[in-house]
Amino acid sequence: MGSVKYTELGAFLRSRRERIRPADVGLPAGPRRRVPGLRREEVAQLAGASVDYYNELERGAGSQPSEQMIAALARALRLTADERDHLYHLAARPVPPHGTAASHVHPGMLDLLGRLTSTPAQVITDLHVVLVQNPLAVALLGDQSGFRGPRAGFVHRWFTEPDARRLYPEADHETRSRAFVADLRAAAARRDAKDTEADAMITTLLDVSGEFAALWADHDVAFRRDDRKRLVHPTLGLIEVNCLNPFSEDGRQRLLWFTPAVGTDSAGLLDLLPVVGPQDVAGPGG
């Protein structure tokens, strides 16, 4: 990577950090804050990086940041789509297409997610790729950040990997399958005709999954705006929740949050999530 661009990358990160107020990202202002923007250690914490590594980036030194780290920094600094793309160019990394795990998360979605501190919540794409989760969502659904390529979409994993279904009771699998297919048809139709991502997923699933092919032939279509579902947590057991799904303006992203279903003991179980912490769960994208 050229030293000039690396220097520019460090200067750009510093300029974006200095414009963010702690309250913008859900952090307390605290005493003895000498500058209005974020501290370097706060950006590192928000991006899941070490403080030393982030300091090296701002100094224009160190190793070339990965695409995943660039995406994390863009979210931590609430970058616009143009600013996010500029950061990729400065790091000499290809700008990822929409819909991947490194997709730009709408700042408004991030702001809402940051305010949902007492309930599991996450932002996903219309193809059920998880973009970012809060800690309670990781505890409930498992860490979804490690999937790449077609496997990043939970709908793809649902019809190709049996382990992806273990978070739902087996009795609910048929209902879940039908809902996923109807939702995918609606999302694919809403996308631009030049967008090949949804078409590629559908073509693959038609080839490899007889179940998907049979459901696709029914031509059911329905966006999932809210849902009531049963989840099987490996430690807490069966949890029944309401899942709410507000969309971004273009329909490409959704903020999901999970609340306890009325008339169940799920409220007490969800309260235990901070205690049990992150689980190794093959959880759903939505």
Side-chain angles (χ1 to χ4, degrees), residues 5 78 96 138 162 187:
K5 272 197 171 182
R78 299 299 194 266
V138 174

Side-chain angles (χ1 to χ4, degrees), residues 178 181 185 205-206 209-220:
R178 188 170 295 278
V181 173
R185 185 180 288 279
L205 293 178
L206 287 171
S209 172
E211 179 191 15
F212 179 86
L215 291 171
W216 190 256
D218 288 340
H219 291 271
D220 290 343

